Amino acid sequence: MKSAILLASGGLDSTTVAYQLAAADVDVVPIFFNYGQHCAEVEWDRVNEVLPPSMRRPDRYDIADIFRGSQSRLIREADLWNEEVKDDDLYIPYRTMLFFAAAAARAQTIGVLDVYTGFINSNHAKEIDCTAAFMNNLEGLTSNIGPVRFHSPFRYSSKADVARAATDLGVPIGRTYSCQAAAQFPCGACPNCVERLKALKEAGLV
């Protein structure tokens, strides 16, 4: 049986990839990063809830100290009643690169050669390390370092494409969570919430 590591966050994209891998009978090792995000506990609860029932439970890794002192609103929750949150306020430097490096290190340590992510080609102004171009360049870099390979099935897809795939696979879409600005409930106004709602409308799900 093929084995793979999956970067799992409890959000729609990574959960849909989890269901794709489960449907393909891949033995998945889900990993979750607590990088100090204000919604870490909500995400952790959701990732344990929304992964396919047949999949092993996720491993959790704490890398929060790396971003200690960050002013990013992904780390320091805003008062949404009184503070405006812009795209630039949500940027965390090198976060995705750190995820990839840590996942690759863990994969090779346990003898797994494939790492899957749910990253799509982001339209968010500051998420330059979530673009298809970044992921393509990363593959060129890692091919000279070790045997682990990265796979992002939705790197050229829209969020609506992901929502349609999720529907076909039976993903519990309503229980996934990916708000950037609020720690306990979807704010409905951050880039992730806006993109998600638009995608669900385009996919005919709301």
Side-chain angles (χ1 to χ4, degrees), residues 106-193:
R106 183 59 186 158
Q108 190 164 346
T109 297
I110 63 175
V112 173
L113 299 181
D114 296 288
V115 173
Y116 280 78
T117 79
F119 291 116
I120 64 173
N121 196 29
S122 175
N123 292 319
H124 301 171
K126 275 290 187 177
E127 289 188 347
I128 55 176
D129 56 355
C130 290
T131 63
F134 171 83
M135 291 176 219
N136 291 340
N137 289 334
L138 184 70
E139 285 181 350
L141 174 65
T142 56
S143 65
N144 296 318
I145 296 176
V148 175
R149 295 294 174 262
F150 295 103
H151 308 273
S152 301
F154 296 121
R155 75 172 66 182
Y156 298 115
S157 301
S158 68
K159 182 74 80 171
D161 294 330
V162 178
R164 295 184 190 98
T167 301
D168 293 341
L169 291 162
V171 173
I173 296 173
R175 299 302 298 162
T176 59
Y177 188 89
S178 57
C179 179
Q180 296 169 302
Q184 299 297 325
F185 56 89
C187 71
C190 72
N192 271 6
C193 283

